[in-house]
């Protein structure tokens, strides 16, 4: 048996005990329609039936209302006892609270109609305006419990709606959190790729070159090993720097310290790896928003990495500072046989970086050359 059912049975038992006590004390009778008052024992069955209806308030609301109505009609026909009327008022309250919305509307109309009829019939039957007192018990028994139950029900429904809204909000927050985690993981993966891909590619190419040198020319091997070491150390330094920033909880305002202003250093690294790079800058160089600065640097870095892996050893870099936009163009001849195969993650990363900044990105073959072009808006570029 459920806890709610046990509470209902306890309430019905206590109500029955209270009604029987009132009958035993002789204080339960309210009206006297008969010349001779009926024995108190006749009021016991309606009281028991009303208490049974009270016990069914959750499991069978309509059945409980029907039993309670039969009980109160029988009780009024006998002369009406206070205990049965009070129990029936509780039955009406529970019916409106646990029943359907249609049920409480019907009960409210019936209660108002009966009370109105008592207002009209009372003075006629009593022959005096004092007959209006007949409407008082009708209002207290039939209308007041219904109105109270309606108010409680509205508060309960409102609380349920608020809980549902809170649950939905919590689900949306959790969904946003998961999306943010996914986006952050994607960004971290892209950053890691951009940080180490260039250096590892250079190390792989020069290690391949060192192994392919005929006769193991000491000078060529030494030069290749120097490039490999330089790129390895630089890659580890950049990766360590980014991991430290992540550990410190660096936000989007400072995801990394590399900037387009450090393009000369990046070009020097590419030249040290064996790539011939020609750089052309047009417009007046200026400070850029952090996101644009980082994206521009990474796009050039990834383009030079691709030129080193898939090109013929030469690349042209053009940086143009325009009104509200910075344009980047990297071109290199295409080498049919690539020493290091690519997975396409670099192009995806560059395209996503440009898209996040609402910029434009194009990459593809142009005859015998590969061309990467990006335009990044710099509308919020008033930075120090």
């Amino acid at each position: 048996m459920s806890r709610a059912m046990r509470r209902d049975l306890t309430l019905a038992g206590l109500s029955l005990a209270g009604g029987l006590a009132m009958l035993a004390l002789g204080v339960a009778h309210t009206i006297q329609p008969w010349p001779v008052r009926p024995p108190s024992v006749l009021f016991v069955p309606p009281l028991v039936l009303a208490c049974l209806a009270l016990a069914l308030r959750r499991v069978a609301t309509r059945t409980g209302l029907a039993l309670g109505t039969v009980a109160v009609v029988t009780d009024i026909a006998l002369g009406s006892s206070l205990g049965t009327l009070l129990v029936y008022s509780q039955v009406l309250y529970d019916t409106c609270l646990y029943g359907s919305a249609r049920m409480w509307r019907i009960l409210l109309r019936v209660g108002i109609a009966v009370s109105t009829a008592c207002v009209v019939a009372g003075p006629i039957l009593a022959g005096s305006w004092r007959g209006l007192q007949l409407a008082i018990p009708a209002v207290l028994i039939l209308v007041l419990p219904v109105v109270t139950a309606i108010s409680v029900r509205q508060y309960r429904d409102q609380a349920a709606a608020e809980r549902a809204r809170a649950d939905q909000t919590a689900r949306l927050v959790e969904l946003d959190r998961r999306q943010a985690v996914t986006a952050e993981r994607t960004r971290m993966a892209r950053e890691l790729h951009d940080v180490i891909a260039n250096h590892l590619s250079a190390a792989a190419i020069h290690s391949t070159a060192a192994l392919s040198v005929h006769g193991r020319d000491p000078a060529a091997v030494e030069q290749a090993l120097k490039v490999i070491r330089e790129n390895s150390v630089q890659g580890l330094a950049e990766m360590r720097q980014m991991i430290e920033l992540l550990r410190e909880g660096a936000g989007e305002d400072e995801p990394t310290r590399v900037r387009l202003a450090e393009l000369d250093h990046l070009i020097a690294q590419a030249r040290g790896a064996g790539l011939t790079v020609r750089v052309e800058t047009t417009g007046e160089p200026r400070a850029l928003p952090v996101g644009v600065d980082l994206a521009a640097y990474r796009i050039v870095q990834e383009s030079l990495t691709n030129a080193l892996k898939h090109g013929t050893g030469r690349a042209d870099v053009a940086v143009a500072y325009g009104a509200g936009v910075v344009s980047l163009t990297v071109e290199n001849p295409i080498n049919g046989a690539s020493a290091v195969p690519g997975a396409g993650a670099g192009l995806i990363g560059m395209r996503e970086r440009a898209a996040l900044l609402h910029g434009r990105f194009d990459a593809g073959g142009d005859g015998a050359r590969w061309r990467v072009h990006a335009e990044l808006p710099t509308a919020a570029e008033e930075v120090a």
Side-chain angles (χ1 to χ4, degrees):
M1 183 183 298
S2 65
R3 181 181 300 178
M5 189 62 187
R6 287 198 297 269
R7 287 200 300 264
D8 293 345
L9 291 176
T10 301
L11 178 60
L14 293 175
S15 300
L16 179 60
L20 292 175
M22 295 176 70
L23 288 173
L25 295 174
V27 297
H29 300 289
T30 57
I31 61 176
Q32 183 66 33
W34 310 108
V36 179
R37 177 179 295 177
S40 296
V41 68
L42 294 180
F43 292 92
V44 174
L47 177 62
V48 173
L49 192 61
C51 292
L52 177 60
L54 188 59
L56 299 175
R57 62 178 187 165
R58 298 177 197 265
V59 296
T61 306
R62 292 187 178 183
T63 302
L65 177 62
L67 294 177
T69 303
V70 171
V72 78
V73 170
T74 303
D75 184 78
I76 292 175
L78 292 174
S80 181
S81 62
L82 183 59
T84 302
L85 293 178
L86 292 177
V87 173
Y88 183 68
S89 66
Q90 182 65 38
V91 172
L92 290 177
Y93 174 87
D94 293 334
T95 301
C96 295
L97 187 61
Y98 300 112
S100 63
R102 181 172 177 269
M103 184 65 67
W104 69 255
R105 292 189 182 95
I106 293 175
L107 291 177
L108 182 61
R109 294 191 187 101
V110 171
I112 294 176
V114 172
S115 300
T116 304
C118 291
V119 170
V120 175
I124 296 176
L125 295 176
S128 171
W129 65 271
R130 296 183 181 274
L132 292 174
Q133 61 183 344
L134 183 62
I136 295 177
V139 173
L140 294 178
I141 301 300
L142 300 178
V143 178
L144 186 59
V146 174
V147 173
T148 304
I150 292 173
S151 299
V152 174
R153 180 171 181 147
Q154 289 177 344
Y155 283 120
R156 187 187 66 179
D157 294 343
Q158 183 178 359
E162 292 296 334
R163 285 194 299 270
R165 188 179 295 109
D167 292 340
Q168 183 179 9
T169 302
R171 287 193 294 269
L172 291 176
V173 169
E174 177 63 18
L175 181 61
D176 290 341
R177 187 193 68 82
R178 292 181 181 181
Q179 291 177 344
V181 169
T182 301
E184 182 64 16
R185 288 178 177 176
T186 303
R187 187 184 70 85
M188 291 174 63
R190 187 167 58 242
E191 288 295 326
L192 285 173
H193 173 272
D194 292 341
V195 166
I196 66 176
N198 179 57
H199 302 292
L200 290 182
S201 297
I205 291 173
H206 281 80
S207 62
T208 301
L211 292 173
S212 62
V213 172
H214 296 290
R216 297 293 190 273
D217 181 15
V221 172
E222 182 180 1
Q223 179 64 25
L225 291 177
K226 286 182 179 179
V227 174
I228 292 173
R229 182 183 182 280
E230 180 182 353
N231 280 275
S232 300
V233 171
Q234 185 66 26
L236 287 173
E238 289 191 19
M239 186 168 63
R240 186 182 300 112
Q241 183 185 69
M242 192 185 71
I243 291 176
E244 288 177 356
L245 290 175
L246 291 175
R247 285 176 177 174
E248 295 171 0
E252 290 296 329
D253 291 338
E254 191 184 7
T256 176
R257 289 185 172 86
V258 293
R259 306 179 63 182
L260 190 59
E262 301 176 5
L263 187 61
D264 292 341
H265 181 64
L266 179 62
I267 299 300
Q269 287 182 343
R271 288 171 177 168
L275 186 67
T276 302
V277 183
R278 186 174 65 88
V279 183
E280 179 183 358
T281 302
T282 58
E284 184 65 25
R286 60 182 183 274
L288 301 173
V290 176
V292 176
D293 228 359
L294 171 63
Y297 182 93
R298 292 305 187 198
I299 289 174
V300 175
Q301 183 184 45
E302 182 62 32
S303 299
L304 292 178
T305 299
N306 291 337
L308 182 64
K309 290 193 296 184
H310 309 296
T312 61
R314 184 165 54 87
D316 297 327
V317 178
V319 181
Y321 292 90
V325 65
V326 58
S327 300
L328 309 167
T329 304
V330 180
E331 295 184 355
N332 63 273
I334 299 175
N335 182 10
S338 176
V340 181
L347 289 177
I348 295 175
M350 289 188 288
R351 184 172 288 107
E352 288 182 355
R353 288 183 184 277
L356 287 175
L357 296 172
H358 304 287
R360 293 176 52 194
F361 177 83
D362 298 303
D366 184 10
R369 298 175 65 83
W370 181 267
R371 182 176 185 271
V372 174
H373 179 73
E375 293 182 4
L376 306 178
T378 60
E381 61 186 32
E382 287 74 11
V383 294

